[in-house]
Amino acid sequence: MQFDVYPLRREGRLIPHHARWAGGVRGDLFVKEDHDAELNRSVRIATVVASNPYHQLLPPLLDATLVAAKPDWWTMTGWERSAEPTGVQPRAYVQSWILIPSDIADFKA
């Protein structure tokens, strides 16, 4: 299912409200349970990917949980790993996404 996805944080810090709606992406949402070798346990992973060409648009959301669902938008929360190598310990940040079904987003535009 395609969504317009708006991350609410950047490296764990809340994006200011006036800039939040400028950083969205549109793609297909996939949620799956998979084994994480670093944590040595199963995690629920949400990804947003472009359909053509197929590539990931946002860092994966780990331990993804749907915390709110309304007819016109959803909120999903979890955490993401830092993309840059940080030395000995990897960094992880809390993250939330606002997901608006693309058919609703197109209707409102």
Side-chain angles (χ1 to χ4, degrees):
M1 184 170 186
Q2 266 209 344
F3 286 90
D4 286 358
V5 182
Y6 299 91
L8 297 182
R9 299 173 184 276
R10 187 173 298 119
E11 293 189 347
R13 295 187 179 172
L14 207 56
I15 296 173
H17 188 68
H18 67 277
R20 185 173 302 157
W21 302 108
V25 297
R26 178 173 284 192
D28 295 315
L29 175 69
F30 292 92
V31 180
K32 67 178 181 174
E33 188 100 5
D34 204 358
H35 184 267
D36 186 287
E38 186 177 324
L39 298 173
N40 196 29
R41 66 175 175 89
S42 291
V43 293
R44 197 169 25 260
I45 303 169
T47 54
V48 179
V49 298
S51 53
N52 193 11
Y54 186 86
H55 68 280
Q56 197 166 290
L57 297 171
L58 293 171
L61 191 64
L62 299 135
D63 287 332
T65 304
L66 185 65
V67 293
K70 296 185 177 185
D72 54 349
W73 60 273
W74 299 356
T75 303
M76 189 171 280
T77 190
W79 58 277
E80 62 187 23
R81 287 189 174 105
S82 174
E84 300 96 34
T86 58
V88 179
Q89 293 292 326
R91 292 190 300 195
Y93 303 102
V94 296
Q95 180 62 276
S96 294
W97 293 344
I98 292 179
L99 301 116
I100 301 172
S102 57
D103 57 342
I104 292 175
D106 290 340
F107 180 72
K108 289 184 176 184

